Amino acid sequence: MSTILAFDFGEARIGVAMGSTELGIAHPLETIATVETDKRFARIEALIAQWQPSLFVVGLPLGLDGEEQLASRLARKFANRLTGRFGVPVTLVDERYTSKSASMALDDTGLRGRRQKPMLDQVAAMQILQAHFDQAAEQGGAR
């Protein structure tokens, strides 16, 4: 069994989720709400020390047509920095519709509008990780 950390990268906030390969179920973890790179990576380093992940999953924001955009390049740069700093492999997962889906899921819990902000990014990261687990299960269980 190993742990995976997933990230919904944004310029203002980074949502973080975790899950184990044994269960294949993702859980929201936290939102890193700072634009300061050093503080972001310090918090990620603390999460790595706590969870000891074997893999990172980073959401890749694509346009509705599947084409890459500026946010895609920023997410790829973030993924490369994760691997470079921490030596943990990274998988990119198409994250189209995750923020909308996360917002709808939070609506269902009674959190609406501005009250969603603290949770939205980590729920989106959870959905990115769950998509990774689901894809792995479809491909024969390799996670």
Side-chain angles (χ1 to χ4, degrees):
M1 176 181 87
S2 61
T3 300
I4 299 175
L5 288 180
F7 300 92
D8 178 35
F9 176 79
E11 293 183 80
R13 293 180 309 279
I14 300 172
V16 185
M18 63 79 59
S20 74
T21 56
E22 182 177 61
L23 296 176
I25 299 171
H27 304 279
L29 198 54
E30 72 176 70
T31 300
I32 301 170
T34 180
V35 296
E36 295 180 46
T37 301
D38 289 342
K39 287 184 180 179
R40 286 177 164 205
F41 281 102
R43 185 61 198 138
I44 291 168
E45 186 171 15
L47 291 170
I48 292 168
Q50 179 179 0
W51 295 103
Q52 298 293 307
S54 62
L55 178 70
F56 294 136
V57 174
V58 174
L60 182 64
L62 300 171
L64 296 178
D65 58 2
E67 293 296 315
E68 292 207 9
Q69 51 196 357
L70 174 60
S72 310
R73 290 187 292 278
L74 293 174
R76 282 186 187 281
K77 181 178 178 183
F78 173 71
N80 289 335
R81 291 178 87 181
L82 285 173
T83 297
R85 280 182 183 234
F86 304 114
V88 176
V90 175
T91 296
L92 296 168
V93 172
D94 181 352
E95 71 163 49
R96 280 179 284 183
Y97 311 112
T98 56
S99 292
K100 178 75 170 163
S101 179
S103 180
M104 290 170 53
L106 289 170
D107 280 345
D108 290 345
T109 69
L111 282 176
R112 291 182 175 79
R114 292 175 163 255
R115 293 179 37 216
Q116 289 184 354
K117 191 173 185 178
M119 296 291 299
L120 186 61
D121 298 296
Q122 59 190 280
V123 171
M126 177 191 76
Q127 291 180 338
I128 290 164
L129 182 53
Q130 194 61 54
H132 167 76
F133 285 142
D134 294 347
Q135 289 168 2
E138 288 172 11
Q139 296 170 0
R143 292 186 182 132

